[in-house]
Structure formats: C-alpha cells, structure tokens
C-alpha cells in the first residue's frame, strides 16, 4: 500500500512538472513518461522513439518502441497483455531502480521486476532500438541490468539474438500479434528448440541452426505475421521512404513442418510435392493419392539389426527434425558411422558442421521427419536393410554394363554405316569411271595413232633427263624440256614409279594437251559421321543399313539407335544426353529430339599447296582440283 501511495504522489508531482517536457534520450529517478503529454524517449541518432501509442483502429494505449519517421511501424510493446483503456498511463522509475508502468487507478500494468538494485539507475533508448536499464556508476557501458532485446515482441531488429541464453536460461522468441489492432501474443511463435542439435522453429516450420542463438546483423528487420505461420523480412528504401518486402517465409509448401510425414521427402518442384525416399513406400497408399501425406512412408524391408545392414547416402536434404537426436562435436564422420551402426535404434547420421572438411557428428533415433530437397541441403546417411543394400549394389553393376553396351551399339552402328557408305561410294565411283572411259573411247577417233619416240632419242633430247632441263612435276611425274635432232623443242613427261596413273590416262592427257594440262578428281570426306549425318538430313537413314541385315532387323529400332548416336555427338555439350538418358531412350518409345549438325562435322575450306609446278584449288562442291602447268 505504501508503494502505491508513493507511486501516486510521485506521479502527480511529476505530472505537474512534466506536462510540457520535450523528448529525451534517458529516464532517471527524477524523470517519467506521461501519456497525453507528448513526452517520449528518442534514440541519439533520432531513429527510434519510445512512448505511448494506440495500434490500428484501437483506442487502447500501449507502451512501445517504433521508428520515429514511421510511427505506424511498432517494433516492441511492453504491456502487450495489459492495455490501458485511457491516456492515464505513467512510466516511472521507483526507488529500487525498477521501471514501472501504472494507470489511473494506481494499478501496476507492467514492470521489470529486477532482482538487483541499482544505485544510479538510468534507462536509455539506444540507436539500435534496444531499450536498456543500467547502473550509471558501472564503468562498463555494456553491462545491462535489463534490455528489451531479451524480450522481443513480433520483430527481430539488427543486433537482436534469437534463442536461448544457456547461462541464464532465458528463451528469446518472437510471437505474432493477434491482429493489427491487438499486439497481444498470438499462438504463432518463432524461436529455437534445444534437442542436442539446435534447430529453429516457426509455428510448425522448423530449420536447422548451427548455434543456440541467432543474431540478425543486417540493417533490416523481420516481423512475424499474425495471419499465418509466416514471417517477412523488410528493408527500408530511403528514396521512397517506405519499407520494401525483402523476403518471406514460408517460401513454398515444403516449409510446412512435417508435411510429408516420416521418411517423406518434400520436393517443391515435383507434383505431388511429397515423395517417398528410395527404399520406402507410402504407409497409407489411399491417403497418399488423396494428398494426405502426414502418415509418411514405410520401409520396403524392415530393419532387423543383423549383420549386413548399412547406410545409403541421400544428397541435398534439409536435415530431419532433431527432437530425437544426439550431437557430438568431437567425432569425425567415420566415428559417427560406427557409433550409429552399433546402436540398433540409430536410423541416420551426418556431419554436424559441413564447413571445410566437415566435423562433428549428428545422430538420429526413430523415424525421420520433416525432410525436404534443398539447394543448401547436405548429405544424410540413412540406415537400410541388407536387402536394400544388395539391390543398390546390383543396380550399380547393371548401370555400367548398360552404358557400355549402349556405347558399343552406337559406335558399332556408326562403323557399319561407315563401311556400307564407303563400299557404295567405291561402287559408284567405279561405275562412273567405267561410264566415263566408255564415253571417252567413243568420242576418240578410231584411227588414232600416237607418235612414238625411241627412248634413246628422248634421252638425248633431254640430256639424259638432266635436272637442268626439268620444268616441273605433276601427278604422272616430272616434265623435262628437250630438243630433237631436227631442232624441234618438246616437253617430255616421264611417268614416275610412284604414280598411280596408267597408259589410258596418259593418252587422254596427251590428247588434251596444249599450253596447260588439267586433271580433276574429287576428295570426299573417302568419314562415317559425315555419311550418317548427310543421310539423316536427306531423310534416308535406312541407307546406312547393310542390305543383308535389313530384312532381319527392326527398322524403327535401328533408326532410333542412329538418331541417339547423332544426339550423343551434338556440338554443344548441354544438347548431348547423359548416359542414363541414353539408356532410357533405347528402352523407351518416347519421341526423341531432332539432332543438329554434329560437333565434329567440319566443312572443308579452301586449301592451297603450292610448289614449282603444282597448284591445289577447291570449289564449292568439296572438290579439290590439281592443275599442272607446262613451262
């Protein structure tokens, strides 16, 4: 009763002298904040303000902190559960240094309830938005007897910590407002649960954290939304003087805690989002089909804790709920595996700290729940029966065999096509040469007679084929300048031993010889990839098949193999199918993408090889022409 009388007298006394007080940065024993008098605390940099306000459309009065430039953005409320119905509220400091909020009926609405008495208590609103009470005589300005950051409302400001103070047992967590007009705590909270491996939780949504508390260092703020289990992160835009929504949680359906049940893996890009891990099937197939996934998945083969059990690595998972888990920071991954394998109740293990080479050990017992595929996920080793491990090993053996077989078939088809193409080209060339020879023979006069010279006469004319008389060299052999006994100058072509040309070609050249003799021939790329691509582009891939095999094979399957082979040699790596995809392509009937020009397909460009008498030319039809000039 004496305390209330003291408060009442002090309040009236302060009211008399504080009606017109200006905003200040601190509160001491002789100061107060009185509702209705515009008296507030303002941080030194003018960023935050502390005083009385009414939220939204409500007429109730609360004591809180807000951004001074944006009074509607309240970041902390003192009397969340006990509003004052009028403007009679007074905040003062009693003789013990305790900060007390009283209303008109002299009742205490809110107080700090300090256990320690300060000789010179002072309350200050810091530039961070933290309201602190300290002893002014304490030389360490960071020693606080109390601070608002330890009792957050719905907002996480830069510099705040979220989680447990393991020394004092203080649990710092956010709790959403009931609605914009009522800041009292709703059921939805965001904090950290300690179960060996600390993890943060937001309502039903949980996330693994590496420490027992989390600091928020960015110059932004997070608010817990009262409309659902979500929270928003805002950044201040100085140009527009507005808050911009930076990010929001949950980002997708997989952020809901335990959505897919035990051993269910939530994949936001899949439909449905819940998938059973490999080696597991839905526990309730009917419910699973109806999108009720909470029953989760069950093992295909039960664990019996017998010899042969082991672990399968699942990559890129957000780790399961840590309610039933164990943490050892000194173990390495190998020791972690041994420890888990020796305990029949252990169902999974992983590295606790994935930084560097990894360290520490996290072990789970019982069913695994609340897993999801995540880009920031890590490896999780899940205990599996011997049967599941054998099936996995068998699959590992089969895959290389299938890949090797596919490669062999693909290259085999290319080789067969190459030889078929080459054989046909040879046959076509021989036929064309024969037709040309026959035509030329028809055009030549039947009474054609070639002048014959004695070898001795030719040798004498060229000074025994002296190098000084050599004019040049062509496809047949060298050409020499000579002079006959009657003084006639001649050019003598001497057939080289290395020449592949014969008497008929020699005759033809002689018939057409004037000042220049020309001989053409085509060089074809005599290659399988080009042949396969050319026939494919022309719509005649079946031409690659040996006629002998054509009647006994499945034409569509062979053409599919040719198409897959061409896809495997595309120019851009991202356009080439993986070997796993090749296996599916060979065994499936799904329409395949059309191949483009192969990466190793190169058109011949102009090439020149000059010598004293030869000139190499190319034309647009990939033909290379040699011209022999007689000097």
């Amino acid at each position: 009763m004496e305390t209330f009388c003291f408060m009442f007298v002090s309040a009236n006394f302060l009211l008399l002298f504080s009606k017109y007080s200006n905003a200040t940065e601190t509160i001491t024993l002789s100061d107060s904040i009185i509702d209705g008098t515009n008296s507030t605390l303002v941080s030194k940099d003018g960023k935050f303000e502390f005083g009385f306000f009414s939220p939204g459309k409500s007429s109730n009065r609360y004591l809180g902190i807000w951004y001074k430039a944006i009074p509607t953005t309240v970041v902390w409320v003192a009397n969340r559960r006990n509003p004052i119905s009028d403007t009679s509220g007074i905040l003062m400091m009693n003789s013990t240094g305790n900060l007390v909020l009283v209303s008109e009926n002299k009742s205490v609405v809110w107080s700090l309830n300090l256990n320690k008495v300060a000789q010179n208590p002072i309350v200050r609103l810091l530039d961070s938005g933290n309201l602190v009470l300290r002893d002014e005589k304490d030389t360490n300005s960071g020693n606080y007897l109390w601070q608002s950051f330890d009792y957050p409302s719905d907002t996480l400001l830069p510099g705040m910590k979220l989680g447990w103070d393991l020394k004092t047992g203080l649990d710092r967590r956010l709790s959403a407002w009931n609605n914009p007009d009522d800041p009292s705590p709703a059921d939805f909270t965001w904090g950290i649960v300690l179960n060996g491996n600390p993890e943060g939780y937001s309502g039903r949504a949980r996330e693994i954290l590496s420490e027992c508390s989390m600091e928020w260092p960015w110059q932004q703020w997070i608010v817990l939304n009262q409309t659902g289990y979500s929270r928003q992160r805002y950044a201040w835009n100085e140009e527009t003087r507005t808050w911009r929504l930076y990010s929001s949680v949950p980002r997708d359906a997989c952020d809901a805690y335990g959505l897919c049940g035990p051993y269910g893996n939530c994949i936001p890009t899949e439909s449905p989002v819940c998938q059973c891990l490999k080696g597991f099937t839905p526990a309730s197939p009917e419910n699973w089909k109806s999108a009720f996934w909470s029953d989760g998945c069950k093992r295909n083969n039960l664990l019996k804790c017998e010899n042969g059990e082991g672990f399968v690595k699942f990559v890129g998972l957000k780790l399961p709920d840590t309610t039933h888990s164990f943490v050892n920071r000194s173990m390495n991954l190998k020791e972690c595996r041994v420890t888990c394998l020796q305990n029949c109740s252990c169902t999974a293990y992983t590295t606790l700290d994935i930084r560097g080479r990894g360290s520490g050990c996290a072990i789970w017992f019982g069913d695994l729940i609340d897993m999801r595929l995540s880009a920031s996920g890590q490896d999780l080793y899940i205990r599996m029966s011997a049967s599941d491990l054998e099936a996995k090993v068998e699959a590992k053996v089969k895959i290389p065999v299938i890949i090797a077989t596919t490669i062999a078939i693909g290259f085999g088809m290319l080789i067969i096509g190459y030889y078929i193409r080459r054989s046909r080209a040879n046959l076509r060339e021989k036929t064309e040469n024969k037709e040309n020879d026959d035509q030329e023979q028809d055009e030549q006069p039947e009474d054609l007679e070639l002048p014959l010279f004695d070898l001795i006469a030719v040798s004498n004319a060229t000074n025994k084929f002296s190098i000084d008389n050599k004019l040049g060299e062509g496809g047949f052999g060298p050409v020499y300048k000579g002079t006959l006994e009657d003084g006639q100058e001649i050019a003598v072509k001497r057939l080289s031993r290395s020449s592949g040309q014969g008497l008929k070609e020699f005759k033809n050249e002689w018939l057409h010889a004037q000042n220049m003799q020309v001989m053409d021939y085509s060089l074809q790329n005599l290659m399988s990839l080009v042949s396969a691509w050319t026939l494919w582009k022309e719509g005649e891939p079946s031409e690659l098949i040996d006629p002998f095999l054509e009647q006994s094979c499945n034409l569509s399957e062979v053409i599919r193999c040719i198409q897959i082979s061409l896809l495997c040699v595309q120019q851009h790596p991202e356009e080439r199918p993986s070997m796993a995809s090749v296996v599916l392509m060979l065994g499936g009937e799904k329409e395949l993408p059309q191949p483009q020009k192969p990466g190793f397909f190169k058109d011949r460009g102009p090439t020149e090889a000059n010598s004293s008498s030869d000139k190499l030319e190319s034309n647009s039809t990939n033909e290379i022409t040699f011209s022999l000039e007689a000097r």
Side-chain angles (χ1 to χ4, degrees), residues 207-355:
E207 52 201 330
I208 294 297
L209 301 175
S210 60
E211 300 294 338
C212 295
S213 64
M214 184 177 70
E215 293 192 21
W216 197 248
W218 304 282
Q219 294 306 310
Q220 304 166 10
W221 60 281
I222 283 182
V223 61
L224 203 61
N225 195 300
Q226 65 269 20
T227 60
Y229 66 100
S230 63
R231 61 184 185 271
Q232 290 81 39
R233 177 176 166 187
Y234 292 89
W236 176 249
N237 189 320
E238 189 63 35
E239 294 182 359
T240 61
R241 305 291 293 172
T242 57
W243 288 106
R244 179 176 62 87
L245 182 62
Y246 186 85
S247 64
S248 179
V249 174
R251 293 173 292 274
D252 50 55
C254 290
D255 275 342
Y257 172 73
L259 179 68
C260 300
Y263 300 107
N265 183 20
C266 195
I267 308 175
T269 57
E270 293 288 335
S271 180
V273 294
C274 288
Q275 305 283 331
C276 287
L277 294 174
K278 192 172 182 179
F280 297 81
T281 54
S284 301
E286 294 302 321
N287 289 343
W288 195 270
K289 291 178 183 179
S290 302
F292 295 104
W293 304 298
S294 58
D295 292 335
C297 307
K298 64 180 180 179
R299 293 179 179 274
N300 294 336
N301 299 289
L302 296 178
L303 297 177
K304 298 180 180 179
C305 203
E306 298 175 349
N307 291 334
E309 287 187 352
F311 299 91
V312 173
K313 181 170 72 172
F314 292 85
V315 180
L317 290 181
K318 182 184 79 66
L319 298 183
D321 176 16
T322 61
T323 301
H324 304 289
S325 66
F326 163 81
V327 169
N328 187 313
R329 297 182 181 276
S330 63
M331 283 186 180
N332 57 35
L333 191 62
K334 185 177 180 180
E335 294 170 335
C336 192
R337 182 185 186 279
V338 172
T339 301
C340 186
L341 193 61
Q342 291 174 346
N343 190 325
C344 293
S345 300
C346 179
T347 52
Y349 73 93
T350 191
T351 300
L352 179 64
D353 188 348
I354 60 174
R355 293 174 297 182

Side-chain angles (χ1 to χ4, degrees), residues 319-528:
L319 298 183
D321 176 16
T322 61
T323 301
H324 304 289
S325 66
F326 163 81
V327 169
N328 187 313
R329 297 182 181 276
S330 63
M331 283 186 180
N332 57 35
L333 191 62
K334 185 177 180 180
E335 294 170 335
C336 192
R337 182 185 186 279
V338 172
T339 301
C340 186
L341 193 61
Q342 291 174 346
N343 190 325
C344 293
S345 300
C346 179
T347 52
Y349 73 93
T350 191
T351 300
L352 179 64
D353 188 348
I354 60 174
R355 293 174 297 182
R357 296 184 178 180
S359 63
C361 171
I363 291 176
W364 280 262
F365 303 94
D367 291 338
L368 305 178
I369 193 171
D370 196 36
M371 291 177 288
R372 66 165 291 169
L373 196 66
S374 172
S376 59
Q378 63 187 82
D379 297 343
L380 181 67
Y381 299 84
I382 298 179
R383 193 183 199 117
M384 304 296 284
S385 68
S387 301
D388 291 320
L389 295 177
E390 290 171 2
K392 188 172 180 66
V393 172
E394 185 178 350
K396 284 185 177 180
V397 174
K398 284 183 178 179
I399 291 175
V401 172
I402 293 174
I403 292 174
T405 303
T406 304
I407 294 174
I409 292 174
F411 280 103
M413 291 301 299
L414 288 176
I415 292 172
I416 292 172
Y418 165 71
Y419 280 109
I420 292 174
R421 181 65 178 172
R422 188 176 70 172
S423 299
R424 291 181 177 177
N426 287 336
L427 180 60
R428 187 182 301 112
E429 184 179 359
K430 289 179 180 179
T431 303
E432 292 174 355
N433 289 340
K434 186 176 184 303
E435 292 175 352
N436 292 335
D437 292 344
D438 293 342
Q439 182 179 357
E440 289 177 357
Q441 289 178 4
D442 292 340
E443 293 175 354
Q444 292 178 6
E446 293 183 1
D447 59 347
L448 173 65
E449 291 185 3
L450 296 176
L452 299 177
F453 294 90
D454 184 270
L455 178 61
I456 295 176
V458 174
S459 177
N460 291 336
T462 60
N463 194 17
K464 297 183 180 181
F465 301 101
S466 171
I467 190 67
D468 294 333
N469 286 26
K470 186 175 180 181
L471 296 175
E473 188 167 351
F476 285 98
V479 179
Y480 298 88
K481 179 182 179 182
T483 306
L484 297 177
E485 290 182 356
D486 59 2
Q488 181 182 358
E489 291 186 346
I490 61 172
V492 179
K493 176 170 287 188
R494 186 179 187 182
L495 186 64
S496 173
R497 289 181 179 273
S498 61
S499 174
Q501 306 190 54
L503 180 60
K504 180 168 60 177
E505 290 82 3
F506 186 82
K507 288 180 180 180
N508 290 335
E509 182 175 305
W510 186 89
L511 286 172
H512 298 289
Q514 295 178 358
N515 290 332
M516 181 179 295
Q517 299 172 346
V518 180
M519 173 182 60
D520 295 344
Y521 65 93
S522 298
L523 296 180
Q524 297 180 349
N525 186 352
L526 297 124
M527 296 174 63
S528 61

Side-chain angles (χ1 to χ4, degrees), residues 123-152:
V123 175
R124 184 184 303 272
L125 182 60
L126 305 182
D127 293 340
S128 62
N130 190 11
L131 184 70
V132 300
L133 171 65
R134 56 179 298 269
D135 192 334
E136 199 170 18
K137 287 190 175 182
D138 193 335
T139 57
N140 187 349
S141 60
N143 284 342
Y144 303 141
L145 299 175
W146 179 90
Q147 59 177 333
S148 62
F149 272 16
D150 283 340
Y151 304 90

Side-chain angles (χ1 to χ4, degrees), residues 150-167:
D150 283 340
Y151 304 90
S153 296
D154 68 332
T155 303
L156 191 66
L157 291 172
M160 259 189 183
K161 292 182 179 181
L162 188 69
W164 290 80
D165 185 332
L166 299 181
K167 293 182 179 179

